[in-house]
Structures are given as C-alpha cells and as structure tokens.
C-alpha cells in the first residue's frame, strides 16, 4: 500500500504535549461547544479504541488497493484533498492535545458512496462518490473534511462507545432488578433497550451538530468559506430525499443543519475574513457551482 502521510511544517508553538486523555481546549475566539464528554474515558480505556481504529483503517486501505479502488498518490483528487487537509490540520490542533502526535493520512477510495470519515488518530478517507455526485468545490470539501476531523478531535467514537457500555449495563441491571422483584426480566430488558436506543440516537445527532460547528471554525481559520456549508447541505438534500425521519436518524435533518450553520456565521465569518485579509463587508457572496442553488450572503 502506498504511504500517504501528510508532511506538516508546524511552528513549535503549535506542538502540544501528548497526553493519555486529551485536555479540553477551545480557541479564545470563534465557536464555543464546551467540554468533551467524560464517557470517552470509558469507551477508550487503555487506548483500545484508537488501536482498533488504526488497524481497521489499514485493513480498509489494503482491501481497496487489492480491488484497485485506492487512488494513487499522484491522482489529482488525492493531491487536492491532501492540500486542503494540510491547510486545515494546524487549526485543528488547539482542539485536542493529542492531535499534534497523530500520524495524519488522507486517502481517496473509488466508490459511488457519498461518504467521508476521519478515524481517531487523523485517518481520513474520502469516497469519489461524494466528490463527483455533489460536485464539491474546495470550500465544500473543507467543510466536509473539517466536520469529519472534528469528530476525531472531540473523540465522539470513544464517547459513543462509552455510552453504549453504560447502556448495556443499564439493560442488564433492569433485567436483574425485575427478576429480583418477581417480574419478567426479558420484558424489562426490552423496554430499557428501546429507551437506550432512542437516547443513543439523540446523542449521535448532538455529535453531528457539534462536529458541524467545530468543523466550520477550523475551515474558516484555514481560509475556506463557512457559507459553503449551506450550499453543501442544499446539494445533499437533492440526493438524499429518501432520508429517514429526523427522530429516527443519527443525523440532524438537512434544514436543521443549515439553520445551525447560519446561526454561527457571526462567530466564524470574522475568522474567514481575517484569513482572507479583508473585512466581512468586503466579502463577496458564496456562489454555488449548481445553477439552481442561490448565492449565500453573510
């Protein structure tokens, strides 16, 4: 498998000490999302989840290469993705102490899937389907990539794993308590399981919203237009008309995401204007490359 480590030249001020658990940090300006969940400690005991994620990423890349679905290092889209990542990563580091030690990678997989992800440790993958189907501009790629990087920075995978462990304890506990009091343990476990499932869906939607917000902040600081997030989800809405109802989905509805993105324009547009060396009032509208989607103003 071809190596795809991103070579980063970071100023010494950006290098943060590695810690067993990332400390809670937020830039002084920009968006505010609060501390990370303590559940991530339970979900990543001894770094087990990080190790599993790294192994899974390597396996996925090997399988893709065997199927000739792994784009080579000289592929134009790979070069493009890595160039965008190189601009984003320095602004991701303040969100997680451990990120400066991650061995960042960016790969492109040939698939019609409209998907991208960033595993713990900075392992990023894009599918050709999301680039081609949505006709993503560089700004829109940065919004997607920033979102996925934010999941890793905020350790959402470990958080969900911890909540899942806690949920399983609750189900088993409910069954034992019911049987102790003379009731049907299986019924009690089933009811508790349903409640736990809906709770986990809500947790996951919250993670998506948080990743949207943090991703906007990172992209804006790197010089990518946050307003591209509005166009991105308008494009996604066109190809995702058969999405499940919001209350049964792990992702917020597209209109909700657009409203949330717009709500944070006052926090991220100054970051973007600063990166571009201009004032907010001097910024032109963000123009979509799809004629049916209108321009987005501040």
């Amino acid at each position: 498998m071809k190596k795809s480590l991103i070579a980063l030249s970071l100023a010494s001020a950006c290098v943060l000490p590695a810690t067993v658990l990332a400390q809670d940090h937020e830039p002084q300006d920009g968006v505010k999302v609060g501390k990370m969940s303590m559940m991530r400690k339970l979900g990543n005991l001894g770094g087990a989840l990080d190790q599993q994620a790294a192994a899974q990423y390597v396996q996925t890349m090997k399988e893709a290469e065997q199927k000739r679905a792994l784009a080579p290092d000289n592929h134009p889209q790979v070069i493009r993705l890595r160039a965008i990542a190189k601009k984003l990563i320095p602004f991701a580091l303040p969100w997680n102490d451990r990120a400066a030690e991650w061995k960042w990678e960016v790969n492109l997989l040939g698939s019609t899937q409209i998907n991208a992800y960033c595993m713990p440790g900075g392992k990023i993958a894009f599918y050709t389907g999301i680039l081609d189907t949505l006709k993503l501009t560089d700004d829109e790629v940065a919004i997607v990539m920033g979102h996925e990087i934010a999941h890793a920075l905020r350790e959402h995978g470990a958080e969900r794993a911890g909540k899942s462990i806690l949920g399983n304890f609750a189900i088993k506990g409910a069954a034992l308590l019911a049987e102790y009091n003379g009731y049907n343990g299986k019924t009690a476990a089933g009811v508790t399981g349903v409640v736990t499932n809906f709770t986990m869906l809500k947790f996951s939607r919250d993670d998506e919203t948080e990743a949207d917000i943090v991703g906007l902040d990172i992209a804006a600081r790197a010089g990518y237009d946050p307003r591209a997030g509005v166009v991105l989800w308008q494009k996604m809405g066109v190809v995702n008309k058969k999405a499940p109802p919001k209350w049964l989905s792990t992702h917020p509805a597209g209109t909700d995401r657009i409203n949330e993105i717009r709500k944070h324009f006052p926090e991220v547009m100054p970051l973007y204007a600063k990166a571009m060396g201009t004032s907010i009032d001097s910024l032109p509208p963000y123009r979509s490359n799809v004629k049916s989607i209108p321009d987005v103003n501040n």
Side-chain angles (χ1 to χ4, degrees):
M1 179 179 67
K2 291 191 176 182
K3 300 295 184 182
S4 58
L5 296 178
I6 300 177
L8 294 174
S9 300
L10 299 176
S12 58
C14 291
V15 178
L16 303 174
T19 55
V20 175
L21 277 173
Q23 300 300 309
D24 289 307
H25 292 296
E26 289 183 351
Q28 294 300 309
D29 53 358
V31 304
K32 303 297 177 187
V33 292
K35 293 184 177 181
M36 290 188 281
S37 170
M38 296 297 289
M39 284 292 103
R40 74 190 195 283
K41 296 182 179 181
L42 179 61
N44 193 27
L45 291 175
L49 189 67
D50 289 349
Q51 295 170 17
Q52 292 172 10
Q56 182 180 342
Y57 187 84
V58 170
Q59 183 62 31
T60 299
M61 296 306 117
K62 284 183 177 178
E63 291 177 356
E65 186 174 37
Q66 291 170 357
K67 298 176 181 177
R68 299 183 181 277
L70 180 63
D73 293 340
N74 62 356
H75 190 288
Q77 290 284 34
V78 173
I79 294 171
R80 176 192 183 206
L81 290 172
R82 291 178 184 170
I84 293 171
K86 188 174 181 179
K87 290 179 66 176
L88 294 179
I89 290 169
F91 298 101
L93 303 186
W95 289 92
N96 190 314
D97 286 344
R98 301 168 62 203
E101 304 299 325
W102 289 353
K103 298 184 184 299
W104 294 86
E105 294 188 31
V106 180
N107 279 301
L108 175 64
L109 305 178
S111 170
T112 57
Q113 290 186 54
I114 301 176
N115 196 19
Y117 60 81
C118 178
M119 286 187 169
K123 308 301 185 184
I124 301 170
F126 267 69
Y127 292 80
T128 54
I130 193 169
L131 299 174
D132 298 340
T133 304
L134 299 183
K135 297 180 175 61
L136 297 184
T137 65
D138 285 359
D139 292 287
E140 291 157 15
V141 168
I143 296 297
V144 173
M145 192 178 292
H147 170 95
E148 298 304 334
I149 288 174
H151 276 310
L153 293 172
R154 300 294 289 176
E155 302 185 19
H156 288 155
E159 178 186 345
R160 287 196 294 272
K163 289 171 180 175
S164 180
I165 292 171
L166 198 63
N168 288 333
F169 281 145
I171 292 171
K172 292 178 181 178
L176 291 173
L177 183 62
E179 290 175 356
Y180 178 80
N181 288 287
Y183 297 102
N184 189 309
K186 290 184 178 180
T187 300
V191 172
T192 305
V194 171
V195 173
T196 300
N197 181 55
F198 276 88
T199 302
M200 290 299 292
L201 286 174
K202 178 60 167 62
F203 285 143
S204 195
R205 286 195 293 271
D206 289 344
D207 289 347
E208 290 296 325
T209 298
E210 184 174 278
D212 279 346
I213 296 168
V214 174
L216 279 181
D217 184 286
I218 294 169
R221 292 177 192 274
Y224 293 104
D225 197 329
R227 297 171 296 182
V230 173
V231 173
L232 169 68
W233 284 103
Q234 288 175 327
K235 288 182 177 182
M236 192 72 78
V238 173
V239 300
N240 201 32
K241 291 180 179 179
K242 296 182 179 180
K246 175 185 171 182
W247 57 276
L248 280 178
S249 173
T250 58
H251 290 61
T255 53
D256 289 348
R257 298 184 91 141
I258 290 172
N259 291 336
E260 189 70 24
I261 288 170
R262 287 187 179 278
K263 188 173 77 175
H264 290 278
F265 278 177
E267 296 161 291
V268 296
M269 289 305 293
L271 303 177
Y272 173 58
K274 181 179 179 181
M276 300 303 291
T278 187
S279 66
I280 294 179
D281 293 338
S282 299
L283 291 170
Y286 180 77
R287 292 184 169 83
S288 170
N289 56 2
V290 177
K291 291 182 179 180
S292 61
I293 297 177
D295 295 347
V296 182
N297 292 297
N298 299 339

